Amino acid sequence: MSAAPVSAAQAIGEYLQSPDDLAKISAYRKKLEKEKASIDARLKNGVKEQLQATREGLRKLLNTRDNVQAVKEEMATMDRQCMDPQNTVSTFDQISRVSMVHRNFQSTEEMVNNLLEMAEKLDIIERLLAQDSANILGPAENLLALHYQLNQLEAFRNHTMHQAKQASPSSRATLQRWFERLNQVIAAFDEYVLELARNVLGIVRAGYPDVVVRLIKIAELEGKEDEKVCLHAKEQTGVLTEYIFQAIVIRLVKKAAKWSAASKFRSMQANARVIKHYRSKITKAITDSIKEKFQEAYRRDEQDPAAFLSNLTWVYQDIIRIEEDVVPCFPAEYEIYSLYIREYHKALNMTIKTLAASSPEASSLLTLFEWLKEYKQSMKELNVPPDLLEPPLLDGKEQSLIEDYLQLIVRKLDEWSANLLKSEIAEFTRREEPPEVDSDGLYGMQGAVILFQMVNQQVDLATESGQGAILARVVSETNRVMKGIQDQWVKTIETEFKKQIEKPEEVEGGLVEYCIALANDQIKSADFAEAVLARLEPLVSEKYRVTITERLNDAIDGYLDVAKKCTQTLIDMVLNDLKPATKGLFQQVWYDGIMVQIVETMRDYMTDYQSYLNPSLLELLIEDLLDAFLVLYLNSLANSPKLKMPAATDRIREDVGLAFGFFSTLKPAKEVEQYFEVIEMILALLEASKDMVFLSFWAFAKVHGPNINFVEGLMKARGDLDRSAVSEVMDSVKRKVKEEGLTDQRHVRAASEPTIMKKINIQNSFSRFLRAN
């Protein structure tokens, strides 16, 4: 910044700062006058010099204007002379023709020499091209030289063929044959360039990024030449096409006889080239190579989709290499990183869609689902912009893979289980061979082992997905399959047992053995299901644990129900064989003793059951058989005709002794006593006198409830009581029951479980009459 101006008063104040300074005023004046004179002199000299410089500049401008005017006049004179040189030079036409002949001669000589030398040049070019092409990932030392030489030969070809347009067809055909080899070499070089483009990544990996740089340099040079052609065509044609423009210009040239202009135009036309589009071809070659790379990888592992997915780590390695080594080889306007990422993603998406549409195994679908999640995470870790990964793989519908997986599981499980069940039921119904005996010496079938091999396989796959929802769905589907199998077995057992009862002579034997085998198989299946449950419960959250537990427990209960159905059928077959004997219970033949036959029949069956039935089921079967025997015996007693007293009670005691002895071989005697306690109480009712029946009844009622109809029928069946005695006994019993408020329903609610008396079916008087007769 310039200093602030100083006023006169301030300047004087600097000199006169004290009274003593007044004496120095004349000295200060002289000093200031001298400084003023010096400044005036310098200003005068500066103004003089500036005026002289201005005067010299004006003089030069005037001289320049004169010179420009003179040049303009000379150029106008030259223009007038050139417009019509024939008027000033009489021999101009001859000179022009001689000049043209000379030019044509030189051009012809040059063309002939070039044609003669072309074969030798092509030999060298072919040798160098073959040398470089043999190692596509090599250093490509001759790439630029090959391109330069071919460019020269191509320009010569274009010029020659243009000049031959007015020649005869045979001459043009001869020239075309001369250039055939050149055309082939140019095509081979173009293919070599595209092959280099297809292997850009491999070349960089081999340590020759300079080859890629030279390749792009060639593409840039060709691109500039292409631009020149396009720009020149636009300048010449405007809105007209190139062919229309050429026709108009040639016509005007001929009309004006401007030979130099026509020659210049023909030269432009001769130098015209075919647009090569190297840049677009290189990018297309890169795109095609990426597609081929994915297709080859898929073909290699087409039969093993899981292996294909696991081997795709090369994709991430390629992306890292592209970013680090390939991108620096390309100009920024190529946007090569975006090109590679987009094309990799598109090719991968097409391949993944092909894989998903190839009906892969269930395990492959889950593997693909997990791989898609890993892919997203990996691309995020590689900092790949999300906009380069559009559209998402499988169009963002990867969740549909889970539905496809579950549908496949359903279809496979249904198919496998249907085939398995079909063969198992066929074996069960035909019974051509006895059931297999396992290592424990028990009858068995292969259904449980085979089914749970399939179930465990699918459950393991679902577990590997790490998703509780998938695992829960799979378990639900396996439960559905298991329940369907269980229902089918129940129906099959019922059908086969019905045939056994209705037409025993028409059915195959061995139903007992196969029921035992099926029961054992159901227990084995329940154990397998329980093992699956124990294995899965710790693996899932509470949200899915409830579903899995419910489904598998439901399946376990279903297997136990089928096993129960089998054991009940085994008991029903025992009772069916006992029907001829049990019909005589408490009838006339009974007094002669038929319990031995009943017991021995049950003993024969139990021998097989004890030998081949699962111990847990055997224990339940014994309890059910004992229960069924007592129900059968008590039902017969409840609906018996008049009993001969005391022969009836004696026979009952003998029956109880035989049955107790038999069942004591199957269960501990103390447990069997509890079962036979009810018969002891009923014996007390039969043996008590009319006046003491009440006491026996009270002991019975406290345990089993009043059961008035049963007791009344029992009293009526006693042969030692007449009708009045029965009425008297029942009146006292009913009165006591009413006073104490005893009812069968109240007793059932008070007891932990219904007693055996609830299973007793009392017939009406007419039915009992028919049975007695």
Side-chain angles (χ1 to χ4, degrees):
M1 295 176 64
S2 61
V6 180
S7 65
Q10 290 176 334
I12 294 173
E14 290 180 358
Y15 290 101
L16 304 177
Q17 295 181 358
S18 65
D20 296 336
D21 292 335
L22 294 175
K24 303 176 182 179
I25 290 177
S26 2
Y28 288 147
R29 180 180 293 173
K30 291 179 180 179
K31 179 180 178 182
L32 291 173
E33 288 176 350
K34 186 183 293 186
E35 291 179 353
K36 180 177 177 297
S38 176
I39 293 170
D40 289 342
R42 287 199 300 275
L43 288 172
K44 185 176 180 181
N45 289 333
V47 170
K48 184 177 179 181
E49 291 175 355
Q50 188 64 36
L51 287 173
Q52 290 177 348
T54 303
R55 190 180 296 111
E56 183 65 20
L58 290 172
R59 185 182 63 79
K60 289 180 178 180
L61 285 173
L62 291 174
N63 290 337
T64 300
R65 185 183 66 178
D66 294 339
N67 292 335
V68 169
Q69 183 63 32
V71 170
K72 184 176 180 181
E73 291 174 355
E74 291 293 333
M75 292 183 68
T77 301
M78 291 177 63
D79 183 63
R80 285 194 299 273
Q81 292 178 351
C82 290
M83 288 293 294
D84 194 7
Q86 294 181 359
N87 296 331
T88 56
V89 180
S90 59
T91 60
F92 177 79
D93 185 54
Q94 296 176 354
I95 294 172
S96 175
R97 291 174 182 172
V98 169
S99 176
M100 183 180 297
V101 170
H102 181 69
R103 286 197 303 271
N104 289 341
F105 178 79
Q106 286 182 329
S107 175
T108 302
E109 182 182 19
E110 181 182 359
M111 182 184 302
V112 171
N113 291 333
N114 286 334
L115 285 173
L116 294 175
E117 295 173 357
M118 185 173 66
E120 183 180 353
K121 291 181 179 179
L122 287 177
D123 289 339
I124 297 173
I125 291 173
E126 285 180 333
R127 178 172 53 80
L128 296 178
L129 181 59
Q131 178 182 328
D132 285 359
S133 299
N135 183 12
I136 199 66
L137 302 181
E141 298 172 347
N142 305 303
L143 181 61
L144 291 180
L146 288 170
H147 177 255
Y148 174 78
Q149 293 295 331
L150 286 174
N151 254 2
Q152 296 297 314
L153 292 175
E154 187 178 9
F156 166 63
R157 181 199 64 187
N158 293 340
H159 180 72
T160 301
M161 293 306 298
H162 170 71
Q163 287 185 331
K165 282 185 177 180
Q166 302 301 323
S168 64
S170 61
S171 298
R172 289 198 302 271
T174 302
L175 282 176
Q176 288 174 352
R177 286 196 298 271
W178 271 86
F179 287 119
E180 277 182 3
R181 186 182 174 194
L182 174 61
N183 294 338
Q184 293 172 359
V185 174
I186 291 174
F189 179 78
D190 289 344
E191 181 59 32
Y192 174 60
V193 167
L194 296 181
E195 190 65 24
L196 289 176
R198 295 186 191 99
N199 290 275
V200 164
L201 194 55
I203 293 171
V204 170
R205 278 202 173 99
Y208 300 109
D210 55 307
V211 175
V212 180
V213 174
R214 293 200 294 272
L215 175 66
I216 300 306
K217 182 65 176 177
I218 291 173
E220 291 293 297
L221 290 173
E222 294 290 346
K224 289 178 181 178
E225 294 299 321
D226 290 346
E227 289 176 1
K228 288 180 182 178
V229 173
C230 294
L231 181 62
H232 189 72
K234 288 180 180 179
E235 290 176 351
Q236 295 295 326
T237 59
V239 295
L240 298 175
T241 65
E242 182 179 358
Y243 298 111
I244 295 176
F245 167 75
Q246 291 176 359
I248 293 174
V249 172
I250 290 174
R251 186 166 62 251
L252 292 175
V253 167
K254 290 181 177 179
K255 183 176 181 180
K258 295 181 179 179
W259 298 106
S260 61
S263 176
K264 182 179 179 182
F265 179 77
R266 284 196 297 270
S267 176
M268 177 273 293
Q269 196 176 37
N271 289 331
R273 66 193 299 275
V274 177
I275 298 178
K276 295 187 177 182
H277 303 292
Y278 260 32
R279 176 171 174 175
S280 62
K281 289 180 179 179
I282 287 175
T283 54
K284 185 177 184 301
I286 292 174
T287 299
D288 293 341
S289 69
I290 293 171
K291 292 178 181 178
E292 291 172 4
K293 192 171 185 179
F294 276 94
Q295 290 170 357
E296 176 60 28
Y298 181 69
R299 281 194 298 269
R300 189 166 51 249
D301 295 314
E302 188 171 3
Q303 302 304 320
D304 189 357
F308 167 72
L309 294 173
S310 65
N311 293 333
L312 280 179
T313 52
W314 57 265
V315 173
Y316 311 125
Q317 296 169 359
D318 284 2
I319 291 174
I320 294 172
R321 178 71 71 169
I322 290 165
E323 185 176 14
E324 294 178 353
D325 298 333
V326 175
V327 171
C329 299
F330 284 78
E333 62 266 20
Y334 273 70
E335 296 182 345
I336 198 64
Y337 180 77
S338 299
L339 172 68
Y340 266 103
I341 298 301
R342 283 196 177 96
E343 295 305 325
Y344 264 69
H345 184 74
K346 289 179 181 177
L348 177 60
N349 189 31
M350 291 175 59
T351 309
I352 293 299
K353 286 183 176 180
T354 302
L355 190 156
S358 64
S359 300
E361 295 292 332
S363 59
S364 299
L365 289 173
L366 282 184
T367 302
L368 177 57
F369 181 78
E370 291 301 316
W371 189 88
L372 290 176
K373 293 195 295 185
E374 293 175 4
Y375 175 77
K376 290 181 180 179
Q377 183 61 31
S378 298
M379 299 305 271
K380 185 177 181 180
E381 293 174 359
L382 290 172
N383 297 318
V384 175
D387 60 302
L388 299 181
L389 303 177
E390 293 293 337
L393 296 183
L394 292 179
D395 300 325
K397 299 177 182 178
E398 59 266 24
Q399 195 62 33
S400 63
L401 292 173
I402 299 302
E403 293 302 321
D404 293 343
Y405 161 74
L406 292 171
Q407 291 176 7
L408 181 58
I409 289 297
V410 170
R411 188 166 65 252
K412 290 295 185 181
L413 283 176
D414 288 342
E415 179 182 342
W416 294 337
S417 61
N419 293 335
L420 175 63
L421 186 60
K422 182 179 179 181
S423 61
E424 290 280 292
I425 289 180
E427 183 181 358
F428 185 88
T429 54
R430 293 172 186 169
R431 300 189 287 277
E432 296 172 349
E433 299 290 338
E436 298 180 2
V437 178
D438 62 18
S439 58
D440 296 326
L442 305 178
Y443 283 143
M445 303 176 71
Q446 293 297 318
V449 175
I450 298 174
L451 175 64
F452 275 88
Q453 284 177 348
M454 296 186 295
V455 169
N456 280 315
Q457 182 183 15
Q458 303 309 321
V459 167
D460 289 342
L461 286 175
T463 303
E464 291 174 3
S465 71
Q467 294 196 26
I470 297 177
L471 183 58
R473 289 280 299 276
V474 171
V475 170
S476 297
E477 291 300 329
T478 55
N479 171 69
R480 179 186 60 81
V481 171
M482 292 176 190
K483 295 297 288 183
I485 293 174
Q486 292 161 6
D487 292 341
Q488 192 64 39
W489 273 124
V490 169
K491 294 177 182 178
T492 302
I493 294 169
E494 291 174 348
T495 301
E496 291 301 306
F497 179 67
K498 184 178 180 182
K499 293 178 183 178
Q500 183 80 15
I501 298 302
E502 295 178 353
K503 300 178 181 179
E505 68 284 351
E506 296 181 5
V507 299
E508 296 291 337
L511 182 59
V512 171
E513 289 78 3
Y514 270 89
C515 280
I516 293 174
L518 180 58
N520 291 340
D521 199 54
Q522 299 304 300
I523 293 299
K524 193 180 296 183
S525 297
D527 292 339
F528 287 153
E530 192 170 358
V532 172
L533 176 59
R535 181 161 61 90
L536 297 183
E537 277 187 324
L539 303 180
V540 293
S541 63
E542 182 65 26
K543 178 180 179 181
Y544 300 110
R545 185 182 299 121
V546 173
T547 301
I548 291 173
T549 302
E550 288 179 353
R551 298 295 182 272
L552 287 176
N553 280 333
D554 184 41
I556 292 171
D557 292 341
Y559 284 122
L560 296 179
D561 289 343
V562 178
K564 177 70 173 178
K565 181 68 176 179
C566 291
T567 57
Q568 185 58 51
T569 302
L570 291 173
I571 293 172
D572 291 341
M573 283 191 281
V574 174
L575 298 180
N576 182 60
D577 279 1
L578 290 176
K579 277 185 178 180
T582 55
K583 285 182 180 179
L585 286 174
F586 303 103
Q587 305 300 316
Q588 184 61 42
V589 69
W590 171 67
Y591 292 96
D592 297 330
I594 60 174
M595 184 55 64
V596 174
Q597 180 184 354
I598 295 174
V599 169
E600 289 305 318
T601 301
M602 289 192 294
R603 194 187 309 277
D604 288 341
Y605 274 98
M606 287 306 301
T607 300
D608 289 339
Y609 297 169
Q610 286 175 299
S611 300
Y612 299 108
L613 188 62
N614 181 282
S616 299
L617 286 178
L618 179 64
E619 185 177 347
L620 295 174
L621 182 141
I622 291 171
E623 292 179 359
D624 291 342
L625 179 60
L626 179 51
D627 200 52
F629 169 77
L630 291 175
V631 170
L632 175 64
Y633 197 80
L634 292 178
N635 268 328
S636 299
L637 177 59
N639 299 289
S640 65
K642 283 292 184 177
L643 297 174
K644 299 176 182 179
M645 306 298 292
T649 55
D650 294 339
R651 176 52 60 190
I652 291 174
R653 289 190 184 278
E654 291 179 11
D655 290 348
V656 170
L658 288 171
F660 182 84
F662 166 67
F663 284 108
S664 295
T665 62
L666 305 176
K667 288 178 66 70
K670 289 186 178 180
E671 294 182 16
V672 178
E673 286 178 359
Q674 296 175 4
Y675 282 89
F676 281 90
E677 183 182 8
V678 65
I679 296 182
E680 294 296 335
M681 292 180 176
I682 292 172
L683 274 174
L685 285 171
L686 291 173
E687 294 177 336
S689 62
K690 180 183 67 173
D691 297 330
M692 300 301 293
V693 168
F694 175 79
L695 294 176
S696 299
F697 167 77
W698 187 244
F700 171 82
K702 285 191 296 183
V703 177
H704 299 285
N707 291 285
I708 296 298
N709 293 335
F710 174 79
V711 173
E712 185 175 5
L714 201 61
M715 293 299 104
K716 290 179 179 180
R718 285 180 59 169
D720 58 342
L721 293 179
D722 56 18
R723 182 173 298 180
S724 62
V726 171
S727 298
E728 184 179 345
V729 169
M730 291 310 299
D731 288 342
S732 62
V733 166
K734 292 176 181 178
R735 185 168 51 254
K736 184 63 177 176
V737 168
K738 185 176 181 181
E739 291 174 357
E740 296 295 333
L742 288 176
T743 62
D744 293 334
Q745 290 75 14
R746 179 180 176 186
H747 177 76
V748 170
R749 288 194 298 270
S752 58
E753 61 182 20
T755 71
I756 196 171
M757 294 305 300
K758 293 288 119 185
K759 301 176 183 180
I760 305 305
N761 181 25
I762 303 174
Q763 299 176 353
N764 56 37
S765 300
F766 181 70
S767 298
R768 295 171 68 181
F769 172 77
L770 292 177
R771 187 169 182 268
N773 292 279

